[in-house]
Amino acid sequence: MADQYVPALRWEEPPEGPVVVLLDQTRLPAEEVEVVCTDVPALVGAIRTLAVRGAPVLGLAGAYGVALAAARGFDVGEAARQLSGARPTAVNLRYGVDRAVRAHRAALADGADAAQAAATTLAEARALHREDADASARMAEHGRALLEELLPGGGLRLLTHCNTGMLVSGGGGTAFGVVRAVHHGGELRRLWVDETRPLLQGARLTSYEAAREEMPYSVLTDGAAGSLFAAGEVDAVLIGADRIAADGSVANKVGSYPLAVLARHHGVPFVVVAPVTTVDPATPDGAAIEIEQRPGREVTEIPVPAAPGLFPEETPAGVPVAPVGAQAYNPAFDVTPPELVTAVVTERGVVSPVTAAGLAELCSPSRPATSRSGNGMMNS
Amino acid sequence: MADQYVPALRWEEPPEGPVVVLLDQTRLPAEEVEVVCTDVPALVGAIRTLAVRGAPVLGLAGAYGVALAAARGFDVGEAARQLSGARPTAVNLRYGVDRAVRAHRAALADGADAAQAAATTLAEARALHREDADASARMAEHGRALLEELLPGGGLRLLTHCNTGMLVSGGGGTAFGVVRAVHHGGELRRLWVDETRPLLQGARLTSYEAAREEMPYSVLTDGAAGSLFAAGEVDAVLIGADRIAADGSVANKVGSYPLAVLARHHGVPFVVVAPVTTVDPATPDGAAIEIEQRPGREVTEIPVPAAPGLFPEETPAGVPVAPVGAQAYNPAFDVTPPELVTAVVTERGVVSPVTAAGLAELCSPSRPATSRSGNGMMNS
């Protein structure tokens, strides 16, 4: 199925030399435009303008960027510094850069020449890519099995928020990957796509991915989700996560928490899909999660079409819709407490109910990956 | 305080003859442009393009339109037909037209000449205007008293949705009128303004009115309201209503119901403010309320600035944000069941708890307007 992916990022080796090719997400869904990066400054620019975005895929961009510098004979240390600083809050970006740099250094220390070290670095980036794709595949299968258990009989109507698919991942994604598995299993009746204001990642990107997969889907304003719940048209909510605290509190795109409250009010499962790296043992609970406040302009202005960058996340340029000087409250994320989360699905299995002990056991490095515990935690 | 209103509609008599002057709501908040209608076709055009919108003020437009036709010697019957058909679902529009037509006919039947009948018709339009303004003022006082009872001590942080102020009313409006009274009483700490997707009446129009009143206010995406509740930043929700069923179910702009569920989850009062004419005894319950489904383009396209009509409600012209062919779910309204509504505030008093019996007694024509009953219904 991998060739059905819309690659957010790929490595190519044309005769002119290796390049990193990105799908420009700022042009979606109007145009599928690729950005070809022949050096690290070009890749850094693409990261900064959000041509490539999303935690897992930023890790890949960092690793391939280091590999690109090594392959083309640039200063690898300088490339790593530029890449790591492109989006200072992106932990995954630095993780990918660091892994590639370590591989490069180790190769040189082992006596490899520049070409051999470059090949080793590229191999490390590709390994990270495979790991991410594998994690996506396992999350998709765990999530699909959970839904079959919770909602036997298929014909599922699933609601999602923001964008969690192939565009942010080396594989099929997190929540969207589960939806995709359900769809491929012939059990998706409809995907409800929250538009996800203010930056419309749902309307723009999740719809784009759903259309590419030929899913039955409908876009809705975030406020219209309540009507769907009231009408009994939502069987489960599936979302991703930006961070999961040790107690199971889930930080995700703003608008997730109202869905959790609606889901609870209507007795609908609320499922979070995220790799184990999203669980942060250093964050004890929801109150400890610092929520980024974004520029008010994202709310008080409507983005205008411009090439390139219809909706650049960091520097929106728009037409004012609110009065001049209007203040806005614009948190990037909200926090859903664990008691409203039916299950957390990871590549290592499912935690349900969501408890600190269950999460800790799942994330433990010593934990066998195929056991099944009886304490409310499902593995496979 | 009436001269602080931004008049959505007014009658003027310059030397060239009488006119109806409208504030063009499609140009707000960027520009305050007035539309001067010298005849009924011009007024019909303004109604169709939503230069004037909102149930109560459409009633006034209908009545003044008939008065304009009478004063300028046009065919009153033909004018009434054109006006009533301008927005076929607008009950208030027809109500205003019918009242003015009846006044005109009665005057002619009583032997009045054309000029006298025109004067009588204008007097009827003005009476409707006064009634509407009076109802606004009484709702504002009842609402303010209710909030003082529920939330003594002032310093209120109120959340509202859509636009319910001077722009849709001959007076101060419904929910916004209550906010205004709280503000004038020095007890408004902050007004949280839901932007109200898809047509952004909150960001565009409520913010405009809040700015004119120099209120402390902030705009937010509809999905960000959950974060405010979670942070304890909302003391009460105040919304209007498009229709209230006999059982107390409230149809209002889509996005209202999720606020009701959040308010209940957080123990925050959820207050509906509407004139008694909004209560429809012929609609038994929420299930009997037919919900208008609006064009999907309102969701899948972002409105582009154009003059006139930044956001024409019926014919949005926009830039696609979702893929070509994307389906959208776009109900205009949602329904909140009475058990989630703390109180219904009308010009005749407050119903709380919201029950069929309480609503029926309030709406009864024989009901004394100044009694106070002991069955959970407050009057004054």
Side-chain angles (χ1 to χ4, degrees):
Chain A
M1 297 194 292
D3 56 351
Q4 294 185 10
Y5 288 3
V6 183
L9 177 151
R10 60 196 161 88
W11 174 271
E12 284 209 350
E13 297 189 358
E16 303 80 37
V19 291
V20 174
V21 183
L22 308 170
L23 180 64
D24 186 347
Q25 298 192 28
T26 65
R27 309 282 281 267
L28 293 175
E31 300 175 292
E32 289 178 5
V33 178
E34 287 188 328
V35 179
V36 179
C37 302
T38 56
D39 57 20
V40 165
L43 185 55
V44 167
I47 293 170
R48 286 217 169 109
T49 61
L50 306 177
V52 60
R53 52 159 277 288
V57 86
L58 282 177
L60 303 184
Y64 280 116
V66 173
L68 183 65
R72 284 188 171 256
F74 297 117
D75 181 328
V76 166
E78 175 58 25
R81 272 188 295 279
Q82 289 180 20
L83 284 163
S84 292
R87 289 191 73 190
T89 57
V91 176
N92 296 63
L93 176 57
R94 260 169 296 166
Y95 174 76
V97 167
D98 290 349
R99 249 182 81 163
V101 166
R102 279 199 305 273
H104 186 255
R105 281 193 196 137
L108 292 177
D110 284 352
D113 65 17
Q116 289 167 329
T120 302
T121 310
L122 177 61
E124 188 70 10
R126 286 186 157 142
L128 181 61
H129 201 151
R130 274 194 308 275
E131 288 168 28
D132 193 52
D134 288 349
S136 283
R138 286 198 296 273
M139 283 186 275
E141 274 317 301
H142 288 305
R144 190 158 87 102
L146 174 71
L147 290 176
E148 281 177 357
E149 190 180 317
L150 294 172
L151 302 159
L156 299 182
R157 296 155 304 178
L158 304 175
L159 178 80
T160 194
H161 192 73
C162 202
N163 176 245
T164 60
M166 290 87 82
L167 292 171
V168 301
S169 164
T174 56
F176 191 84
V178 175
V179 175
R180 197 164 161 273
V182 170
H183 176 54
H184 289 172
E187 298 192 327
L188 180 68
R189 188 154 139 214
R190 182 149 300 268
L191 177 63
W192 300 114
V193 179
D194 260 14
E195 64 174 1
T196 317
R197 280 282 289 156
L199 295 174
L200 299 173
Q201 292 94 336
R204 291 194 304 119
L205 305 178
T206 301
S207 294
Y208 166 80
E209 297 198 38
R212 289 290 298 255
E213 295 277 340
E214 300 185 349
M215 291 178 184
Y217 77 98
S218 297
V219 192
L220 53 140
T221 64
D222 304 322
S227 305
L228 287 178
F229 281 102
E233 294 280 345
V234 181
D235 297 311
V237 179
L238 292 177
I239 63 164
D242 290 84
R243 202 197 299 189
I244 300 177
D247 74 339
S249 294
V250 174
N252 193 47
K253 183 64 60 190
V254 68
S256 299
Y257 172 65
L259 295 176
V261 174
L262 282 164
R264 171 56 51 93
H265 188 76
H266 290 279
V268 168
F270 184 85
V271 177
V272 174
V273 186
V276 289
T277 51
T278 311
V279 181
D280 181 8
T283 302
D285 54 28
I289 302 177
E290 192 190 348
I291 298 298
E292 174 190 358
Q293 297 290 325
R294 304 267 310 168
R297 293 175 59 201
E298 293 180 351
V299 179
T300 59
E301 298 181 3
I302 283 287
V304 288
L310 178 56
F311 286 82
E313 283 191 27
E314 293 199 313
T315 55
V319 182
V321 288
V324 174
Q327 286 190 39
Y329 169 70
N330 188 24
F333 308 105
D334 60 25
V335 176
T336 298
E339 60 269 22
L340 294 182
V341 180
T342 307
V344 172
V345 175
T346 76
E347 71 274 34
R348 291 198 195 163
V350 177
V351 180
S352 178
V354 180
T355 62
L359 278 174
E361 186 180 337
L362 192 80
C363 297
S364 159
S366 62
R367 185 177 159 278
T370 55
S371 72
R372 174 173 284 270
S373 71
N375 65 349
M377 193 168 66
M378 296 174 291
N379 323 303
S380 75
Chain B
M1 297 196 291
D3 56 351
Q4 294 186 10
Y5 288 2
V6 183
L9 178 151
R10 59 195 161 90
W11 175 271
E12 283 208 351
E13 298 191 358
E16 304 79 36
V19 292
V20 174
V21 183
L22 308 170
L23 179 65
D24 187 347
Q25 298 191 27
T26 65
R27 309 281 282 270
L28 294 175
E31 299 176 291
E32 290 179 3
V33 177
E34 286 189 327
V35 178
V36 179
C37 302
T38 56
D39 58 20
V40 165
L43 185 55
V44 167
I47 293 169
R48 285 216 170 109
T49 61
L50 306 177
V52 59
R53 53 159 276 288
V57 85
L58 283 177
L60 303 184
Y64 280 115
V66 172
L68 183 65
R72 285 189 171 255
F74 296 118
D75 181 329
V76 166
E78 176 57 26
R81 272 187 297 280
Q82 289 181 20
L83 285 162
S84 292
R87 288 193 72 191
T89 57
V91 176
N92 296 62
L93 177 58
R94 259 170 295 164
Y95 174 76
V97 167
D98 290 350
R99 249 181 82 163
V101 166
R102 278 199 305 274
H104 186 255
R105 280 192 195 136
L108 292 177
D110 285 352
D113 65 15
Q116 289 166 331
T120 301
T121 310
L122 177 60
E124 187 70 9
R126 287 186 156 142
L128 182 62
H129 202 150
R130 274 195 308 276
E131 289 169 27
D132 193 52
D134 287 350
S136 284
R138 286 199 296 273
M139 283 186 276
E141 273 318 300
H142 288 305
R144 189 159 87 102
L146 174 71
L147 290 177
E148 280 178 358
E149 190 179 316
L150 294 172
L151 302 160
L156 300 181
R157 297 154 305 176
L158 304 175
L159 178 80
T160 193
H161 192 73
C162 202
N163 175 246
T164 60
M166 291 88 84
L167 292 170
V168 301
S169 165
T174 58
F176 190 84
V178 175
V179 176
R180 199 166 160 273
V182 170
H183 176 54
H184 288 173
E187 299 192 327
L188 180 68
R189 189 155 139 212
R190 182 149 300 267
L191 177 63
W192 299 115
V193 179
D194 260 15
E195 64 173 1
T196 317
R197 278 282 290 158
L199 295 174
L200 298 173
Q201 291 94 337
R204 291 195 304 121
L205 305 178
T206 300
S207 293
Y208 166 80
E209 298 199 35
R212 290 291 296 256
E213 296 276 339
E214 299 185 350
M215 291 178 184
Y217 77 98
S218 297
V219 191
L220 53 140
T221 65
D222 304 322
S227 305
L228 286 178
F229 281 102
E233 293 280 344
V234 181
D235 296 310
V237 179
L238 292 177
I239 63 162
D242 289 85
R243 203 197 296 192
I244 300 176
D247 75 338
S249 293
V250 174
N252 193 48
K253 183 64 60 190
V254 68
S256 299
Y257 173 65
L259 295 176
V261 174
L262 282 164
R264 171 57 51 93
H265 189 76
H266 290 279
V268 168
F270 184 85
V271 176
V272 174
V273 186
V276 289
T277 51
T278 310
V279 182
D280 181 8
T283 302
D285 54 28
I289 302 176
E290 191 189 348
I291 298 298
E292 174 190 358
Q293 296 291 325
R294 304 269 310 169
R297 293 176 59 203
E298 292 179 353
V299 180
T300 59
E301 299 180 3
I302 283 287
V304 286
L310 178 56
F311 286 82
E313 282 191 27
E314 294 199 313
T315 54
V319 183
V321 288
V324 174
Q327 285 190 40
Y329 170 70
N330 188 24
F333 309 105
D334 60 25
V335 176
T336 299
E339 61 269 21
L340 294 183
V341 180
T342 307
V344 173
V345 175
T346 76
E347 71 273 36
R348 290 197 194 165
V350 177
V351 181
S352 178
V354 180
T355 63
L359 279 174
E361 187 182 335
L362 192 79
C363 298
S364 160
S366 63
R367 183 178 160 277
T370 55
S371 72
R372 176 173 282 272
S373 71
N375 64 349
M377 193 168 65
M378 296 175 289
N379 323 304
S380 74

